Amino acid sequence: MSKRQEPVTVTIKRIELDNVVLEGLGPLDVNALAREIENKMDQFSEEKHTVDTFKILLHTTLFYAAKVYTRSNNEEQKSKAGEKQLDSAIEKLNLALNRLPLK
């Protein structure tokens, strides 16, 4: 039975977001993530020399989407590599078993 998560309120760039529920994250984690997002937005604002909040938000969204995409692809590639190693090990085991004399 999964525990029902309580919604929290977070503020990012003076914008208050009510009833925020992120699966698997408690209130402290949600607030820490909100601070991280605000810091990343500040960083992009300085790097891009802009105060256009919408553009900064899009840069920040792309940054985090790229992190998720990269992590997902890395896990998928590790999984495929693991499958290949397992297939190779099974093939070698089958060859070894086939070479054993039958009684």
Side-chain angles (χ1 to χ4, degrees):
M1 181 174 170
S2 66
K3 189 169 91 173
R4 185 178 179 278
Q5 291 181 266
E6 292 298 319
V8 296
T9 299
V10 297
T11 303
I12 300 173
K13 303 303 272 181
R14 295 184 305 235
I15 298 171
E16 195 169 275
L17 303 172
D18 294 322
N19 299 316
V20 176
V21 177
L22 299 175
E23 188 175 326
L25 298 179
L28 293 176
D29 295 323
V30 172
N31 278 292
L33 184 57
R35 282 191 308 278
E36 182 180 328
I37 289 170
E38 186 165 14
N39 290 339
K40 185 56 72 176
M41 290 178 74
D42 290 341
Q43 178 186 338
F44 280 123
S45 178
E46 289 177 21
E47 287 176 5
K48 306 296 181 188
H49 306 289
T50 184
V51 292
D52 185 333
T53 306
F54 188 70
K55 284 183 180 181
I56 295 167
L57 180 60
L58 289 176
H59 280 289
T60 305
T61 302
L62 283 171
F63 172 81
Y64 285 104
K67 283 178 74 167
V68 170
Y69 179 80
T70 301
R71 183 177 300 133
S72 175
N73 280 348
N74 286 344
E75 289 173 5
E76 186 177 313
Q77 289 193 352
K78 285 179 186 176
S79 176
K80 285 180 183 178
E83 287 176 18
K84 285 181 181 180
Q85 286 179 334
L86 184 58
D87 288 345
S88 176
I90 290 171
E91 186 178 323
K92 288 176 183 177
L93 181 59
N94 278 331
L95 285 172
L97 289 174
N98 288 334
R99 291 184 184 148
L100 290 176
L102 296 175
K103 292 186 180 181

